[in-house]
């Protein structure tokens, strides 16, 4: 396997390719943001407080609550999930975590468990069982197009479902909701089968229209108690953790997406002629940057 040094283009090669073309003068600038992240020792309690906004009215005492966690490198993810799990248990319910990550982790139950563990979400760290399986159930189909809707079998069998995810702009499409709670329900909780179906239909339908409609179907058919939304600041620190109840779910997520756009770090120019990147990749963003 290539190392990072193997992938570096030698300076001599760059100079030879560029020739004697004179370069413009360079200057060093620094972008400064005033941020107010949640202190790391407050993240877990903030996540627990977010659970208070969710709707567990129809959940029996001791009922099972499926907490969805994804494959993205979210700041303080383990602490946030632990806070949600603890609050659910303190409320008198029995929580477990399930991977809500579509086909990531090699589209295997063990691979998705390992993906969570690589992000610090282990059973010891969060204080509850992780149930990882690629088995899904068909929840129904969309009204107009008849697109089948799938959900993780463990989550669908629980008395309540709580997705935990970061709300942020998506790199491939824009819409009222992009990356966040709704997309986790549709694609993450849909596992490999749901993700494949969604991506196939996205060609003709578009994610901006598909995600809200399928989310509405899932909210109507499954016991989604709401979700715990995370917004990060320009330095990828936790800026906000909020419980989003099922009532007004899509509307509130759209508002949180606007907040995420406000906190998105951007290049301080409207137009650039050349952009040189130190690092890019799928681990950084969907399109590499």
């Amino acid at each position: 396997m290539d190392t990072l040094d193997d992938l570096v283009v030698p300076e001599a090669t760059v100079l030879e390719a560029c020739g004697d073309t004179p370069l413009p003068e360079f200057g060093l600038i620094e972008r400064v943001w005033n941020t107010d992240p949640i202190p790391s020792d407050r993240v877990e309690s903030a996540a627990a407080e977010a659970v208070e906004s969710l709707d567990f009215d129809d959940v029996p005492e001791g009922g099972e609550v499926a907490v969805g966690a994804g494959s993205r490198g979210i700041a303080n993810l383990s602490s946030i999930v632990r806070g949600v799990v603890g609050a659910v248990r303190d409320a008198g319910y029995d929580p477990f975590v399930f991977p809500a990550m579509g086909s990531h982790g090699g589209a295997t139950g063990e691979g998705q468990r390992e993906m969570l563990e690589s992000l610090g979400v282990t059973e010891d760290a969060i204080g509850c069982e992780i149930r990882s399986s690629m088995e899904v159930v068909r929840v129904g189909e969309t009204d107009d197009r008849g697109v089948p809707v799938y959900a993780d079998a463990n989550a669908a069998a629980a008395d309540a479902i709580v997705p935990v995810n970061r709300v942020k702009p998506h790199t491939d499409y824009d819409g009222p909701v992009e990356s966040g709670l709704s997309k986790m329900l549709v694609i993450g909780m849909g596992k490999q089968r749901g993700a494949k179906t969604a991506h196939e239909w996205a060609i003709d339908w578009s994610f901006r229209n598909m995600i809200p409609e399928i989310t509405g179907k899932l909210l109507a058919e499954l016991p989604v108690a709401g979700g715990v939304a995370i917004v990060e600041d320009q330095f990828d620190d936790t800026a906000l953790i909020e419980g989003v109840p099922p009532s007004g779910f899509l509307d509130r997520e759209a508002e949180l997406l606007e907040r995420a756009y406000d906190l998105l770090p951007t290049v301080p120019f409207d137009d650039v002629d050349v952009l040189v990147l130190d690092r890019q990749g799928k681990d950084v963003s969907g399109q590499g940057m």
Side-chain angles (χ1 to χ4, degrees):
M1 182 176 180
D2 290 334
T3 66
L4 185 59
D5 289 339
D6 295 326
L7 300 176
V8 174
V9 179
E11 182 178 357
T13 302
V14 175
L15 293 174
E16 182 180 352
C18 293
D20 295 327
T21 303
L23 295 175
E25 292 186 8
F26 284 79
L28 181 65
I29 64 171
E30 180 182 6
R31 191 75 185 267
V32 177
W33 291 285
N34 294 318
T35 61
D36 185 25
I38 299 173
S40 57
D41 60 355
R42 277 271 302 127
V43 168
E44 184 175 339
S45 60
E49 291 168 8
V51 174
E52 297 175 3
S53 300
L54 307 186
D55 182 4
F56 295 105
D57 289 347
D58 295 328
V59 182
E61 183 177 353
E64 289 194 328
V65 177
V67 178
S71 57
R72 300 303 185 189
I74 297 171
N76 303 304
L77 180 61
S78 179
S79 296
I80 293 170
V81 173
R82 183 168 59 249
V84 172
V85 165
V88 168
R89 181 177 289 114
D90 289 345
Y93 309 115
D94 183 17
F96 69 89
V97 165
F98 72 98
M101 58 180 73
S103 60
H104 290 189
T108 68
E110 187 57 33
Q112 295 202 342
R113 178 186 293 273
E114 291 174 356
M115 177 69 75
L116 287 182
E117 291 175 349
S118 73
L119 299 172
V121 181
T122 66
E123 292 185 344
D124 287 342
I126 61 176
C128 76
E129 178 188 2
I130 295 175
R131 298 181 190 173
S132 184
S133 167
M134 298 305 294
E135 183 180 353
V136 295
V137 295
R138 179 166 171 158
V139 175
E141 59 184 37
T142 60
D143 295 334
D144 294 334
R145 297 173 182 260
V147 177
V149 177
Y150 299 99
D152 178 286
N154 287 318
D159 297 294
I161 300 169
V162 178
V164 178
N165 202 19
R166 175 179 54 200
V167 174
K168 73 176 191 67
H170 197 278
T171 56
D172 294 345
Y173 75 94
D174 58 4
V177 293
E178 298 178 23
S179 288
L181 299 175
S182 297
K183 187 167 178 283
M184 173 175 272
L185 287 176
V186 175
I187 295 179
M189 189 171 68
K191 312 298 274 192
Q192 188 275 338
R193 193 167 184 181
K196 182 175 184 292
T197 300
H199 282 90
E200 287 175 347
W201 275 93
I203 297 173
D204 294 325
W205 194 0
S206 84
F207 279 128
R208 65 173 291 120
N209 297 319
M210 174 196 300
I211 297 296
E213 182 169 339
I214 296 182
T215 297
K217 187 72 174 179
L218 290 166
L219 291 173
E221 299 295 334
L222 293 178
V224 179
V228 175
I230 305 155
V231 176
E232 293 181 348
D233 64 21
Q234 294 90 337
F235 296 103
D236 298 330
D237 291 324
T238 308
L240 177 153
I241 304 174
E242 180 178 316
V244 180
S247 174
F249 191 87
L250 287 163
D251 291 339
R252 183 54 185 157
E253 184 174 353
E255 293 170 353
L256 291 173
L257 177 61
E258 292 182 8
R259 176 63 175 153
Y261 265 107
D262 290 340
L263 295 178
L264 185 69
T266 57
V267 176
F269 305 104
D270 293 329
D271 299 302
V272 293
D273 297 308
V274 178
L275 179 64
V276 180
L277 303 174
D278 283 333
R279 177 171 167 260
Q280 65 176 17
K282 177 69 174 176
D283 59 327
V284 176
S285 183
Q287 290 293 334
M289 58 172 284

